[in-house]
Amino acid sequence: MITLIRSFKVLILKNKKGFPAYLAESIQMHGSLKKAPPVHLWNPPFCGDIDIKILRDGQWLYMGSPITRPALVKLFASVLRKDNDGCYYLITPAEKVRIQVEDAPFIMISVEQKLGYFLFTTNIDDKVILNKQHPLMITINPKTGEPSPYIRVKEKLDALVHRNVFYQLIEYAEERVINGKKCLGIISFDEFYLLGQT
């Protein structure tokens, strides 16, 4: 992973048109992504900014162009961390580079209703069970009044729930009275998650 981030730095300086072959080889060299790197334990020095941006729709850009290789996106997502300064970084044991995120770094693209809980899938194929460790949160845009639902994927990293998925949740929802107001929500592992007021 250290080599991969250094490769991006070289790429910025020497090759602004696309990804070189050695970068793809570096992805393969890192093997399986099933075990997440312990980025929360790493405290490397800050090495500057890199021109990577995650759009609100989950698309990753490098120097304004889409990153179209899913393996590359998954690899970088595996070393993504949000720090207390509110910024997002790609982390290795030796390096820390800052990237830009428009909204949330991930998107929930599907949901399944299981026996007693809900199972979500992100745009990078991570499976997330809705529970106390991975709660559903709704924020309201103060200007438009539109709700934006998020689910915590891992420490400080959230996924924006896609509009179609949110509509599915509305179909699964039940009504409760909370503080004298009728509310819609879903239940997962005996926890009630508010979707909105009726």
Side-chain angles (χ1 to χ4, degrees):
M1 289 174 286
I2 296 173
T3 302
L4 196 56
I5 289 182
R6 286 177 179 166
S7 297
F8 256 110
K9 292 180 179 179
V10 173
L11 186 60
I12 290 174
L13 296 174
K14 296 185 178 180
N15 188 340
K16 295 184 179 181
K17 293 183 179 180
F19 296 98
Y22 69 82
L23 193 57
E25 293 172 1
S26 182
I27 295 171
Q28 295 175 357
M29 183 179 66
H30 288 94
S32 175
L33 296 175
K34 290 183 179 179
K35 186 176 181 181
V39 295
H40 62 289
L41 300 177
W42 297 341
N43 189 30
F46 177 60
C47 298
D49 295 281
I50 191 169
D51 194 3
I52 293 178
K53 185 175 185 178
I54 307 175
L55 302 182
R56 194 173 192 269
D57 64 2
Q59 174 71 65
W60 287 58
L61 303 180
Y62 168 66
M63 299 189 73
S65 298
I67 300 176
T68 58
R69 299 184 183 181
L72 183 59
V73 171
K74 290 181 181 181
L75 180 60
F76 276 87
S78 73
V79 294
L80 181 65
R81 190 175 81 189
K82 183 179 182 181
D83 283 357
N84 291 332
D85 60 3
C87 295
Y88 293 85
Y89 300 90
L90 299 180
I91 304 287
T92 75
E95 296 178 287
K96 173 180 177 179
V97 293
R98 182 167 51 205
I99 70 170
Q100 301 298 314
V101 179
E102 268 191 352
D103 192 340
F106 308 116
I107 304 291
M108 289 300 182
I109 60 171
S110 69
V111 62
E112 298 176 68
Q113 187 180 33
K114 301 292 187 177
L115 185 60
Y117 67 94
F118 285 87
L119 177 66
F120 293 82
T121 303
T122 73
N123 58 315
I124 59 169
D125 297 323
D126 283 338
K127 302 293 184 181
V128 180
I129 294 174
L130 184 62
N131 57 26
K132 291 182 179 180
Q133 289 73 41
H134 306 282
L136 170 69
M137 305 159 284
I138 305 289
T139 64
I140 304 297
N141 187 307
K143 294 182 179 180
T144 65
E146 289 291 319
S148 292
Y150 301 89
I151 292 176
R152 178 61 44 90
V153 176
K154 49 188 173 181
E155 187 175 358
K156 297 180 183 177
L157 296 178
D158 298 330
L160 177 66
V161 179
H162 191 278
R163 186 180 297 252
N164 292 343
V165 176
F166 188 70
Y167 289 155
Q168 282 184 264
L169 296 180
I170 294 294
E171 293 179 2
Y172 294 136
E174 62 180 62
E175 187 177 281
R176 285 190 180 183
V177 176
I178 301 176
N179 296 326
K181 298 180 179 179
K182 292 182 178 180
C183 301
L184 283 179
I186 56 174
I187 297 174
S188 187
F189 282 111
D190 298 322
E191 292 288 325
F192 184 80
Y193 296 94
L194 183 66
L195 299 177
Q197 297 181 356
T198 60

